[in-house]
Amino acid sequence: MTEALRVERRANAAVLTLNRPERQNALSRELVAALGQAGRALAADESVRAVILTGEGRKAFCAGADLKERSGMNEAEVLEMLRSYRSELGWLSSFRVPVIAALNGVALGGGLELALACDLRVAVDTALLGLPETSLGIIPGAGGTQYLPRLVGAARAKELILLGRRLAATEALGIGLVNHLVDDDADLLTETLNYARPIVEGAPLAQAAALEALRAAELPLEEGLAVELRAYEGCLYSEDRREGLRAFAEKRPPKYTGK
Ligand code: COA
């Protein structure tokens, strides 16, 4: 049996590939569990500087819940599945290094929700994005109703979810739902690794501190600013901060060590 999730290393980045192309990389129980397991394994690997989440093939990043598996589930099993989204996928939005979704094709329903949980989204210019759940008599259940308005604002999120409207990649770029587009003919993974280079090769402590502070942007302003100050202090006494200043003065690229 092929693995539902492939985990590979490309330099300092971990690449997770949803690998169920015959089902448009839909989220089965097995795939959700494999994502959770991968997150737990990566958490212990300090050498990983970024995680890239992508899908096998050129058609779909992920077509959401595995609707064939779902049709055989009773209500209690569906509820169990929704809970497993929290326990197994929650790490994507709180991981210690940035998680980047590389959308190689359609991202629908739970597939888009996976991408929304990530810190950044890169997509091929032919990708199609949407949350069509209400048209199936349900609602997004893997965080979509919470992530989407935080990312694109309440009005656009309501439009996408209540109307179940699908967006072309260029439109998604225009509203900030996607950060960066890649030509469909290009190698998406190579382009995503290039895009992520400042993260993967940047100052590790500064990257971690910035991520922590940025994630506090949902807090009331005073609390968020307090998190920013604490996070800055994490860099203040670092060798990397001194190296950054030295490199600037000596007009050379910095060499960061994470110390
Ligand atoms: N779960 C399980 N199987 C899925 C699936 C899903 N979410 N989405 C697609 N598949 C399967 C199809 O049933 C088909 O299998 P078959 O060959 O045994 O019939 C195969 O993947 C190919 O899909 P197909 O629809 O023929 O390809 P397409 O290129 O015409 O369309 C999609 C691709 C993704 C746009 C289309 O399949 C689709 O809209 N899927 C449903 C997405 C959705 O509503 N997700 C939200 C779930 S809440």
Side-chain angles (χ1 to χ4, degrees), residues 31-108:
L31 181 51
V32 171
L35 280 162
Q37 202 177 13
R40 286 185 284 275
L42 290 173
D45 186 344
E46 299 250 323
S47 66
V48 169
R49 300 288 314 278
V51 177
I52 295 173
L53 178 63
T54 190
E56 179 59 33
R58 294 177 63 83
K59 209 160 154 187
F61 167 69
C62 174
D66 185 328
L67 297 174
K68 290 177 180 166
E69 182 184 72
R70 187 64 62 90
S71 66
M73 288 182 183
N74 63 31
E75 285 79 358
E77 287 169 327
V78 175
L79 209 50
E80 181 75 13
M81 195 74 189
L82 294 179
R83 292 203 181 98
S84 78
Y85 291 157
R86 286 291 303 281
S87 65
E88 305 306 290
L89 309 178
W91 66 273
L92 292 169
S93 57
S94 57
F95 202 58
R96 68 184 163 76
V97 296
V99 182
I100 303 168
L103 308 180
N104 52 305
V106 297
L108 293 173

Side-chain angles (χ1 to χ4, degrees), residues 12-13 36 72 77 81 102 132 163 169 185 188 201 214 217 255:
N12 286 343
E77 287 169 327
M81 195 74 189
L163 276 58
D185 296 332
L188 175 63
E201 294 178 4
L214 282 163
K255 284 200 192 94

Side-chain angles (χ1 to χ4, degrees), residues 95-214:
F95 202 58
R96 68 184 163 76
V97 296
V99 182
I100 303 168
L103 308 180
N104 52 305
V106 297
L108 293 173
L112 180 55
E113 291 177 283
L114 267 187
L116 291 173
C118 297
D119 295 295
L120 295 164
R121 282 149 293 279
V122 174
V124 290
D125 56 9
T126 51
L128 202 62
L129 294 80
L131 292 175
E133 283 89 344
T134 53
S135 69
L136 291 162
I138 51 172
I139 67 168
T145 64
Q146 304 305 301
Y147 291 125
L148 193 60
R150 284 169 163 80
L151 197 58
V152 299
R156 282 189 169 119
K158 283 175 184 161
E159 181 180 311
L160 284 171
I161 293 174
L162 298 177
L163 276 58
R165 203 157 80 75
R166 294 180 181 197
L167 291 187
T170 45
E171 202 181 342
L173 180 73
I175 63 168
L177 180 49
V178 162
N179 297 92
H180 179 65
L181 286 192
V182 169
D183 195 291
D184 189 37
D185 296 332
D187 182 64
L188 175 63
L189 189 52
T190 304
E191 294 294 327
T192 305
L193 287 163
N194 285 340
Y195 174 76
R197 188 169 295 145
I199 293 172
V200 174
E201 294 178 4
L205 293 175
Q207 285 286 332
L211 196 56
E212 186 192 351
L214 282 163

